[in-house]
Amino acid sequence: MKIVEETRTRLRLKHRPLRYWFSGWCIFTICLSFLIYCLVFDSASVRLTCDRFSPNQINCELKRFNLLGSMEKLKMFDLQEAYILTKTGSKGAKTYQVMIVTPFGDFALLSHVSYQENQEVVFQINDFINSGQTSLLVQQNQRNYLFFLNLFTLIIMASAAFFATSPVTICTFYKSIDKVFIERKSPRGNQIIEHPLEYILRFDIQEKQYKYSKLYRAVIVLKSFKEIPINPQYTDEKSIKYAVSRIHSFMKY
């Protein structure tokens, strides 16, 4: 919070929630990038088709479909085996993925399918490789997982946008008309709060404990004991204490 104007009859303070703007836009940008990745680059479903032309010649085509309907085709030759790759996250959560082994490299299917479904797919592929079957069709789908993941991402984006558009606060004390005006301006709209100076009981400093530090805000307490934050967003202690000291000095003139 800064003092932008101070005379004998007028005191104006301005608070810009830079922390909220920076955090909000950073989170929004990260979520937007992740959403684009899920929609465009992540596979929502796969379809594996194989044909056996001779006992030792198996040709396969793997089709990957994203949520927007785009398709990517991969050719595979001479399948050797399929197995389940288990991945363990930092918090111990496990995911399972079918890997198909060929002489030209390994090919992965979907990464968020249940172990039982993957087990069934592995059995079908290995049974096809080791038998005399002439064709194989295997499909996997994780559209529901991606739908709820994208929905959760959109909720976070909405919250981030709310913080990124936090209002600028301009608080002005007028002795000439015996009033205080608090203006909050943001892309979401503007708000003006006004009260006579004689209705003010005192000025408080409220603190909030965060993980590694404390942040503060200045509050007008009316004689009705209603509390009106000058800066709704908590900020550093030094600027708040200085602002409140200047308000006290101004009110005593």
Side-chain angles (χ1 to χ4, degrees):
M1 183 181 293
K2 292 184 177 180
I3 310 294
V4 294
E5 183 181 4
E6 184 174 7
T7 67
R8 291 186 62 85
T9 60
R10 182 168 60 234
L11 175 65
R12 179 168 294 167
L13 306 93
K14 187 174 184 179
H15 174 68
R16 296 191 302 165
L18 299 178
R19 294 172 187 263
Y20 282 63
W21 292 347
F22 179 77
S23 301
W25 284 119
C26 283
I27 295 173
F28 184 88
T29 302
I30 292 171
C31 288
L32 180 60
S33 301
F34 180 73
L35 184 64
I36 293 172
Y37 171 81
C38 288
L39 292 174
V40 178
F41 299 104
D42 205 358
S43 298
S45 62
V46 295
R47 181 184 300 162
L48 174 68
T49 55
C50 296
D51 293 298
R52 188 191 301 271
F53 295 97
S54 69
N56 297 321
Q57 183 182 0
I58 298 175
N59 294 345
C60 298
E61 183 178 68
L62 179 64
K63 294 181 179 179
R64 300 180 181 274
F65 301 88
N66 64 21
L67 285 174
L68 299 179
S70 297
M71 180 183 66
E72 176 191 13
K73 291 183 181 179
L74 296 173
K75 296 289 186 179
M76 294 187 290
F77 304 96
D78 302 330
L79 273 64
Q80 296 179 344
E81 67 166 328
Y83 68 93
I84 296 177
L85 176 66
T86 302
K87 299 179 181 179
T88 304
S90 58
K91 295 185 179 180
K94 293 183 178 181
T95 58
Y96 307 95
Q97 190 171 26
V98 173
M99 302 295 295
I100 301 174
V101 181
T102 75
F104 309 99
D106 295 355
F107 295 82
L109 299 189
L110 299 182
S111 57
H112 290 89
V113 177
S114 70
Y115 182 84
Q116 289 75 17
E117 291 181 66
N118 282 327
Q119 197 173 36
E120 183 179 344
V121 168
V122 166
F123 174 79
Q124 288 178 307
I125 295 173
N126 287 332
D127 184 58
F128 171 76
I129 294 172
N130 298 319
S131 70
Q133 299 176 41
T134 57
S135 63
L136 172 71
L137 172 62
V138 172
Q139 298 183 85
Q140 282 190 326
N141 191 315
Q142 60 180 17
R143 290 182 181 275
N144 288 340
Y145 167 79
L146 290 179
F147 172 79
F148 287 108
L149 180 63
N150 291 338
L151 180 62
F152 180 70
T153 302
L154 287 172
I155 292 172
I156 296 177
M157 287 177 65
S159 300
F162 180 83
F163 282 98
T165 56
S166 295
V168 173
T169 298
I170 300 174
C171 179
T172 309
F173 295 87
Y174 291 97
K175 282 190 173 180
S176 56
I177 58 175
D178 190 36
K179 283 191 176 182
V180 56
F181 290 87
I182 300 176
E183 302 173 75
R184 307 200 196 281
K185 301 179 179 180
S186 78
R188 304 194 303 266
N190 300 331
Q191 179 188 30
I192 298 178
I193 302 169
E194 62 174 282
H195 287 284
L197 295 180
E198 61 184 20
Y199 284 12
I200 297 175
L201 178 64
R202 65 177 186 272
F203 300 93
D204 284 347
I205 296 177
Q206 295 179 343
E207 66 178 45
K208 190 172 185 179
Q209 180 67 52
Y210 287 85
K211 192 171 183 180
Y212 299 111
S213 63
K214 289 182 180 180
L215 295 177
Y216 302 81
R217 69 178 182 180
V219 175
I220 299 173
V221 181
L222 302 179
K223 291 180 180 179
S224 61
F225 295 103
K226 180 181 178 180
E227 296 182 348
I228 304 172
I230 295 177
N231 54 307
Q233 307 84 12
Y234 289 80
T235 186
D236 64 287
E237 180 181 14
K238 184 178 179 181
S239 67
I240 294 300
K241 284 189 173 181
Y242 178 74
V244 171
S245 69
R246 297 313 308 155
I247 294 172
H248 283 146
S249 299
F250 174 79
M251 295 294 286
K252 290 176 183 178
Y253 281 161

